[in-house]
Amino acid sequence: MRGVTGPQVRYDGGVPRRPDDAPNQPSESAAADVTLRWAGKDAPFRPRGEGPLELREIAGDPGAAQGRLVWADNALALAALRAEIGATVDLVYIDPPFDVGASHYLRSDDVEVEAYRDAWGGAGYLSMLYPRLVLLRALMKPGATIVVHVGVGVCHRVRVLMDELFGADSFVNQIAWKRYSAHNDAGQGARRLGAVHDVLLVYGRGPARAWTTLRVPHDPAYVAKWYRHVEPQTGRRFMSGPLTAPGGAAKGNPRYEFLGVKRHWRYGQATMEELLRVGRVYQSRPGAVPRQKHYLDELEGVPLQDVWTDIRALQGTHAERLGYDTQKPEALLERIVQMCSRPGDLVLDAFAGSGTTAAVAARCGRRWIAVDRSPQACAVIRRRLRGLIARGEAGGFSVLDGGPAARRAALRERGEAALVERALRLHGAESWPRGQIAGRRGAAAVVVAVGEARPGAAEVARWLDAARAAGMAALEVLAWEFHPSAHDAADGGAASLWELPRALADDEDAAPRRLPCPSVALRGEVVELVDFVSEAGQGVASVVEWAIDWAWDGRVFAPRWWTQRGRDGALTGASPPLPAEAGEVLVEAVDAAGRIGQRLVRYRK
């Protein structure tokens, strides 16, 4: 996914556009009088590919499913969801790139893999974000709320976009989230103030939107100053307030003696005696004017304001840390979800990253949709939600794939021959057409399968025979996806399997990558993970999770047993005994880089 670069951004007066379904549809409203102009804004926009999304996996109990993980470019996914579910979303939270000109990574032990690039360049960034905000708006029901999490470098432009698309009158809050206590920029010669906060832009669609006023504890300095007394009998901290009545007799306040002090009092004598009886009266010494006790533990708290300083960014020592560079703390998302939605509501995150929104929504009893195009992000999210299911903290979820729709569009728009030629070039192979053989690389014949069929063992064996007949010693097969039986035709390494990158369907250059290969053994009724070969390394030590579906239907993976590596580094290497009804057993293993390998085991008891 690339932005469109262009000249400087321009702020214009005039009639804004607030479209429902397409960036080029003019708005009927003129609620705002400022719009943002940039090169590329008026260019026609269509997502790369059209739905429907393909069901890839069902995790947990389908009857208790409350979430959807969508592996796709979010423009494609949002357009497909709009066609399927309409305007049904209650809360949108997105944490898009900040246009900082850098890459962000998934890190685990010695493995570091790029999760996404954040290098759009001004106008290109807006050309990426604008149509996606349009699609998000079309998914929001009347009364929905959207929260856009951005950096200080782009928040001013994004707020103008939000005013244009949602209406300036829909603005709710601009929240400053203080992530860090300080940056040591000054010590490094920076001629500016340290940037320690992000910005959350909150917009609502109508007065019926969900809203819960949250409260936070009082500032410790306030507590120390005012709640300085401690009750010896209970240890409860309290402050004292006046029981005397200003205005005296002129205000009709009673005057009498209480605890040896004659004054005008706020309450009648019976009420004062009751306060004394229940321990609500404080007298610092005999003869001092009595005062009323107000306990700290009964203090309701301060209504949440628009500067949040009590939630810190995640550090490496935090237990919830998953190694994803831009992961947000669950406490931040829990506050947003609790404040802006109700139990049972539908929460959508179109830049899902490490899946914090999905995890929090699931634990808070909300339905959720999480969208990300990065395979590393989707692997992290899936593992995170599987863990919640295993601990009984979430219901099931489905995994939907937008890859087939993007590939169909690529074939339709560019043609098979052009895609094959480009794949050969990116693979470092030369064109060498021989029937189904498209090229060669060194001593290996190269077959490029750009159709929707997933090559399996039979196809790989047939192509290997064709390669040998053409005088080549080896075969390399390039395909979008493979049937899990394809590894069975490797013939001692004579055939190798390579995944065509999903980015190729999005017209981006990326080289094919060797398909990870798990090795498994069936020992009686137990499946053992014996080996795993991927770019991240070889051996079971490189695996972070694996699962089996012992009744695979040939299409949708439904893990019936799953395990992941614990924080102590241990990984269970053998499955429980397979049930008597087990048939084709699909084994799936994932390494620290998010690469997935599958293997098929045929079992009949």
Side-chain angles (χ1 to χ4, degrees):
M1 185 171 63
R2 291 177 173 170
V4 179
T5 58
Q8 295 298 309
V9 175
R10 195 168 74 248
Y11 295 85
D12 291 346
V15 178
R17 292 191 291 191
R18 207 183 336 160
D20 284 323
D21 295 300
N24 297 318
Q25 177 182 334
S27 171
E28 296 179 358
S29 169
D33 58 2
V34 175
T35 60
L36 201 58
R37 305 291 302 164
W38 67 91
K41 179 178 183 179
D42 296 324
F45 176 82
R46 284 184 59 245
R48 290 189 180 275
E50 299 175 358
L53 302 169
E54 184 174 296
L55 180 62
R56 187 183 188 96
E57 178 181 327
I58 297 176
D61 179 6
Q66 62 182 147
R68 300 184 187 189
L69 170 58
V70 184
W71 183 14
D73 178 273
N74 51 18
L76 185 158
L78 294 173
L81 289 168
R82 178 71 171 96
E84 179 189 349
I85 66 175
T88 58
V89 174
D90 298 281
L91 170 61
V92 172
Y93 167 85
I94 58 170
D95 178 18
F98 288 5
D99 197 20
V100 295
S103 292
H104 298 282
Y105 294 86
L106 173 66
R107 296 179 172 89
S108 176
D109 297 326
D110 296 330
V111 177
E112 179 178 275
V113 60
E114 184 180 77
Y116 69 95
R117 295 178 184 176
D118 182 8
W120 303 91
Y125 176 77
L126 297 173
S127 291
M128 176 278 294
L129 186 60
Y130 181 66
R132 287 160 175 82
L133 288 172
V134 171
L135 291 164
L136 287 166
R137 183 181 185 274
L139 279 160
M140 294 168 60
K141 65 167 58 169
T145 300
I146 180 170
V147 180
V148 182
H149 188 149
V150 289
V152 294
V154 295
C155 66
H156 56 301
R157 293 176 177 174
V158 176
R159 181 162 174 180
V160 176
L161 286 188
M162 299 293 289
D163 281 351
E164 178 180 341
L165 292 172
F166 292 88
D169 55 343
S170 296
F171 171 75
V172 178
N173 278 114
Q174 177 168 311
I175 299 166
W177 171 45
K178 184 181 178 184
R179 302 180 52 154
Y180 308 106
S181 57
H183 275 182
N184 195 27
D185 295 347
Q188 300 171 21
R191 299 175 65 85
R192 58 178 173 80
L193 302 178
V196 297
H197 78 280
D198 290 352
V199 173
L200 305 176
L201 298 172
V202 185
Y203 282 72
R205 300 201 65 185
R209 60 186 170 84
W211 185 263
T212 300
T213 299
L214 302 181
R215 295 179 178 270
V216 294
H218 283 273
D219 184 87
Y222 170 85
V223 172
K225 179 179 180 180
W226 296 105
Y227 288 83
R228 59 182 184 272
H229 304 296
V230 177
E231 198 171 63
Q233 306 91 326
T234 65
R236 298 174 74 187
R237 186 175 290 274
F238 68 92
M239 68 176 291
S240 64
L243 283 169
T244 54
K251 293 290 183 72
N253 294 302
R255 179 179 174 84
Y256 53 89
E257 184 176 321
F258 179 69
L259 292 182
V261 178
K262 183 174 287 188
R263 290 287 192 278
H264 285 92
W265 304 102
R266 291 173 179 263
Y267 311 113
Q269 195 161 5
T271 300
M272 295 284 278
E273 294 294 338
E274 179 62 18
L275 289 174
L276 179 64
R277 188 187 70 79
V278 297
R280 290 284 179 163
V281 176
Y282 170 69
Q283 190 176 34
S284 60
R285 55 180 174 75
V289 177
R291 294 170 65 85
Q292 185 173 2
K293 290 182 180 179
H294 299 282
Y295 291 103
L296 177 62
D297 56 21
E298 294 178 349
L299 195 64
E300 191 175 21
V302 181
L304 189 63
Q305 307 296 304
D306 64 1
V307 177
W308 296 357
T309 62
D310 58 332
I311 300 174
R312 298 294 301 278
L314 294 179
Q315 306 298 320
T317 55
H318 286 140
E320 66 185 82
R321 183 85 177 167
L322 300 170
Y324 198 89
D325 265 1
T326 54
Q327 180 182 346
K328 300 303 183 292
E330 291 188 2
L332 178 69
L333 269 298
E334 185 169 344
R335 176 171 292 178
I336 293 168
V337 168
Q338 297 284 15
M339 183 172 65
C340 300
S341 69
R342 305 179 181 93
D345 279 356
L346 178 57
V347 179
L348 169 63
D349 186 347
F351 295 84
S354 64
T356 302
T357 305
V360 168
R363 285 196 295 99
C364 292
R366 273 67 165 173
R367 296 170 295 130
W368 57 269
I369 300 173
V371 182
D372 208 292
R373 75 190 295 251
S374 162
Q376 291 78 28
C378 289
V380 168
I381 296 169
R382 189 180 67 161
R383 185 161 63 250
R384 189 172 187 172
L385 269 297
R386 282 179 174 179
L388 288 181
I389 293 173
R391 295 191 296 272
E393 299 177 24
F397 66 95
S398 58
V399 179
L400 304 173
D401 190 1
R407 297 194 288 264
R408 287 192 296 268
L411 274 171
R412 183 173 62 249
E413 294 168 7
R414 295 191 285 281
E416 181 176 348
L419 279 175
V420 169
E421 193 63 32
R422 189 172 186 179
L424 288 173
R425 175 176 60 82
L426 293 169
H427 190 53
E430 62 177 307
S431 179
W432 193 65
R434 299 288 191 279
Q436 291 180 303
I437 297 172
R440 63 182 177 185
R441 190 172 73 145
V446 179
V447 170
V448 183
V450 294
E452 278 304 292
R454 296 189 299 167
E459 290 80 11
V460 174
R462 186 171 68 249
W463 292 331
L464 183 57
D465 288 343
R468 286 168 172 163
M472 306 300 284
L475 170 71
E476 296 176 350
V477 182
L478 280 56
W480 301 111
E481 292 184 68
F482 289 88
H483 189 276
S485 67
H487 291 293
D488 297 341
D491 194 15
S496 60
L497 313 178
W498 299 74
E499 286 180 302
L500 289 170
R502 296 167 70 95
L504 183 62
D506 293 331
D507 206 25
E508 298 177 25
D509 282 349
R513 303 174 68 181
R514 193 77 174 258
L515 184 70
C517 178
S519 296
V520 298
L522 185 61
R523 306 191 194 282
E525 300 171 355
V526 172
V527 177
E528 291 186 6
L529 182 63
V530 176
D531 197 6
F532 187 82
V533 179
S534 75
E535 294 170 343
Q538 181 169 351
V540 176
S542 67
V543 174
V544 295
E545 63 173 313
W546 68 290
I548 60 174
D549 178 359
W550 57 63
W552 186 52
D553 66 1
R555 188 177 63 89
V556 178
F557 182 55
R560 299 160 200 273
W561 176 83
W562 167 81
T563 188
Q564 68 171 323
R565 191 172 297 281
R567 293 193 175 275
D568 60 356
L571 178 72
T572 302
S575 75
L578 298 175
E581 66 271 18
E584 285 197 327
V585 180
L586 183 61
V587 180
E588 182 178 278
V590 186
D591 67 15
R595 301 296 310 284
I596 299 173
Q598 294 183 331
R599 203 67 185 258
L600 197 59
V601 179
R602 290 174 173 83
Y603 172 79
R604 289 287 186 274
K605 189 170 182 179

